[in-house]
Each structure stands twice: as structure tokens, then as C-alpha cells.
Amino acid sequence: MIESTQNKQVKLWKKLKTKKGRQQENLYLVEGEHLVREAVEKLPERDIQNFILVEEYKDNVSNFPKEKIVWVGEKVAMELAETETTQGMFAVIEKKPAELPQTIHRPYLFLDAVQDPGNMGALIRTAAAAGFEGVVCGKGSVDPYNMKALRGSQGMHFNLGVYEGSLEEWILYFQNQGLKVFGTALDQEAEAYTSIAPASAPFALMVGNEGQGISSNLLELTDSNLYIPLADHVESLNVSIAAGILMFHLYDTR
Amino acid sequence: MIESTQNKQVKLWKKLKTKKGRQQENLYLVEGEHLVREAVEKLPERDIQNFILVEEYKDNVSNFPKEKIVWVGEKVAMELAETETTQGMFAVIEKKPAELPQTIHRPYLFLDAVQDPGNMGALIRTAAAAGFEGVVCGKGSVDPYNMKALRGSQGMHFNLGVYEGSLEEWILYFQNQGLKVFGTALDQEAEAYTSIAPASAPFALMVGNEGQGISSNLLELTDSNLYIPLADHVESLNVSIAAGILMFHLYDTR
């Protein structure tokens, strides 16, 4: 049982609370019983490097691979926690390589510079609920492995592919396979989303930054840009709500 | 200019930061330049009791009724602020009486025990964007005049009617006028929302608590209950995203 917060292993785990640490180690940390149990259920065992647990879970983790469990004291758990009260259950998980998928079976959500971790989590959760295959975080987006974003995704993060990469590349990749890429915009040239019939073929939907929307150079690369007609005197919707409306309308899973 | 945080008026305003104070005084406090300017633009002048401003706005509030402005020092502004950094602009506004509207022209959103202020704000903002006429907060809901909820609504709060009342009463009131009330549920007896054709006639849509959903006694009173089909292994959507998908699908504004 590790009791000291000065322990070398603890110091490495603590690094995973920062974006830089996660990039250097190619690992991320998830916190909380719900998220860790989701990871056990949904990820291949090799993807999880360690489980970090306080003693009280001793009789309650029979389905965790024993050799990967590290028991820690309360102080260490507090040190790793993001929230002020911690359940004392963590997992250290390998980040997947950011390679493009070989075949595309279902739609993808592209995120251009989405900056709020709560929005990032909600977008991932909603994309999974809509049956999307992946979420691609472009330049300027908050780290999807940010602990607040992971909490917001409610473990739905493990239900789809989460990628970080160049959206220019991803747009071209989709278009080269004959798949449509829809942007979202508030300008006059955009089309009302209701004019697009729901389809069961894969496509990509791109949403943008909370304040600025999608950058103009990306908007020029899409096949078409959509807008959601809003009531008078209303400027915009929250990005995760707008994306929810569009994903559930565009993708026909029936 | 009021400089002392012990001033009687300041103490009254501070009371408006609590639910109890808002109920006693039938007033609420909004904070921030964006929200206050929205209030000036959208509310009748008589609804706003006072503007509370720091000196730096002196040359920038020519459209505010002069006799209602109270100038305060930084310390007072800090005392009233909900956020750690304040813009030093507040308004004290009268809560509207919770009477039932005489005629119903557009749809309403009913909220059963929605508890998170962020969700409350997002629901009000999204309902306004979808062109809804009102939001009704039932028993157990967070106070819609909570400062965090007001901030989340981005001033869209002023675009529609916000009511607090008994949802049983409101459901009957709608049904007596021949208007449909849709609940939302996850059970087998609910209907997929996509089986309901968009309509331009008014109706009510009810969503429920973040964990429990709508209470069973209210679900029995509705005309029908809807669900959003989700991908396998996904339990639920955030309530404001679910409501957004349903409101934009059900209400045809074209």
C-alpha cells in the first residue's frame, strides 16, 4: 500500500492531471467509481495500465485484473483527486494513437477549437448516444482527456473513438471516400438543417468554438454548411445542444 | 454613491442572492453588463426597480432611466457579485406573478424537479431559441432566478415567460384547452419522438429531474410520453440536450 504522496509512482500519476503530462506519458487518469467500472467493462484489458484504489474497495473489485491494482492511502487519493471529495478509485489508461480509422461505418463529429471542458464532455456523451463512431478534436480544442471533460462524458468516452488531429486532413479523408462533411454557420449562405433529409450513410458534422464558431478556412472546405433557425432576438445555442439537435436529426438509425 | 457594505439598501440587495430573500421581496438580482443591457432592451421600464453601477459606466448608460440608477463603490459591487470578478453592473427586477397565461399561442416547456442551475439556464435559453412562449418550473426545481441559472440563460430569460407553479394544474389547464401535453420517459410504453410529426399548434413538453426523470404521478397525466432512441450501452442524455432535441423536432416554426 502506497501511503506517501512523495512516492515516485504517485508523482507520475499526478503529472497525468495536466495536459503536458498526458502528452508526455501517452496516458490519462480517470477518477470515480462509475468511470473506472465503465472502463473495465468497455476497454480491452491491455489498455488499462493500473487501477489505483483505497482499501475500502477490497471486497468489491473481483472483476479487476489483480496484478494491475495498486492500493493507496487516503492522502494519496486526495492528492490525485480533481474533485474535493474523492471516491478513491482511479484508473491509468493508455491514450490511443491518433491514426485515421481504416474504414468508416458511422458518422463522426469534428470539433474546431471547442474550449470548455464541460461542453467537450457533453459533446462526447451526446455523440455516443446518437450512435456516432468517433469524435475528432481539432487544433485549439480543450484536451478531451481533461478530467472535467471525462467526468462530463459520463464514461461514454469509451463507447467511441476519440481522436486529436488536423481537421483539414480529416475533411479531405472523408471527402476522398465520397462522404459528406457538414459545417455549421450562422451566415446567410448556410442552409437550414431541416432541408437535409436524415440519412443512414456515414458523414461528418463539424461544430466550432463557443464564441467564434468554425474558423473560416475550415468552413470553405465543407460540402455544405448548416444553420439552426432560431426565434427572433436569439443569437445562438450552446454548442453541445446545437450539436445534439443536428446529430439526432441528420443520422437516421432506424 | 454608496460605499459602505453596511448600508441598508445594500443589505436588502444582498438578500436577493438567496432563494428565500427573492421570495420575500418578490425581486431578483441580475449581474453583468450583457444581462443588464438585455433587461433594459426587453423588459418594460416599470419591471426594473434599480440599476446598481460602479462609476466607470458613467458615460455608457445613457439609455438607462436616470432616476433608477444607484452608484456604488467597488466594495459594494464585490459584495453583491456571484462571480469572483465582477463587472460592477447589476439590476434589481420584479418577479412576475405566477398567474396562468390567459391565452396560449406557442408551446411551453414544463420542468419537473430540474435541480442543476446550469441545466435550468440552458433549458430556458434553448426554449427561447426554439420559439417557446414559456417555461414552467414545477415543485422541487431549482429557483429559475438563481444567479447561476440567470447567467446560463444568457438573458434569454427575458424573451419568454418564466413561471413557478403546480405542474398538475398546468397540465389540466392545457388539456382543458384541447392542447397536448407530452411527457418524456425511458420506459417501454413510451413512444419514439420521431413518430410524432412536427406541428405548429401549441403544446407542452415536460422533462424531469436529472437522475429520476419525471415523477410517476405526472407521467400518468400526460397525453403521451416520448423517448429518444439511443445507441446501445448509452443510458441517457443530459436533460437540456434531450429537451433541445425534442423542442426543435416537435415545434414546426416554418
Side-chain angles (χ1 to χ4, degrees), chain A residues 135-150:
Chain A
V135 173
V136 184
C137 306
K139 228 183 305 161
S141 292
V142 63
D143 185 357
Y145 299 101
N146 171 296
M147 287 171 92
K148 193 180 168 203
L150 288 171

Side-chain angles (χ1 to χ4, degrees), chain B residues 95-135:
Chain B
K95 278 170 76 171
K96 282 295 174 55
E99 280 165 29
L100 295 167
Q102 288 203 328
T103 48
I104 292 164
H105 303 282
R106 289 177 286 127
Y108 278 66
L109 179 66
F110 291 177
L111 307 179
D112 179 33
V114 168
Q115 282 180 332
D116 179 78
N119 284 338
M120 175 62 75
L123 285 161
I124 290 172
R125 177 179 175 193
T126 309
F132 276 42
E133 188 168 274
V135 173

Side-chain angles (χ1 to χ4, degrees), chain A residues 34 38 41-42 122-123 125-126 128-132 154 156 159 193-195 228-241 244-245 248-249 253-254, chain B residues 34 38 41-42 122-123 125-126 128-132 154 156 159 193-195 228-241 244-245 248-249 253-254:
Chain A
H34 176 69
E38 287 277 326
E41 205 180 295
K42 291 177 183 165
L123 285 161
R125 178 180 175 193
T126 309
F132 274 44
Q154 303 238 334
M156 290 307 110
N159 287 34
Y193 78 101
T194 42
S195 70
I228 300 177
L230 303 181
D232 291 346
H233 311 295
V234 176
E235 276 165 38
S236 67
L237 286 168
N238 168 283
V239 63
S240 61
I241 294 176
I245 293 165
F248 275 85
H249 174 78
T253 57
R254 280 166 291 181
Chain B
H34 175 68
E38 286 279 325
E41 205 179 296
K42 290 178 182 163
L123 285 161
R125 177 179 175 193
T126 309
F132 276 42
Q154 303 237 336
M156 290 306 112
N159 288 34
Y193 78 101
T194 42
S195 69
I228 300 176
L230 303 180
D232 292 344
H233 311 294
V234 176
E235 276 164 39
S236 65
L237 286 167
N238 168 282
V239 62
S240 60
I241 294 176
I245 292 165
F248 276 86
H249 174 78
T253 57
R254 279 167 290 180

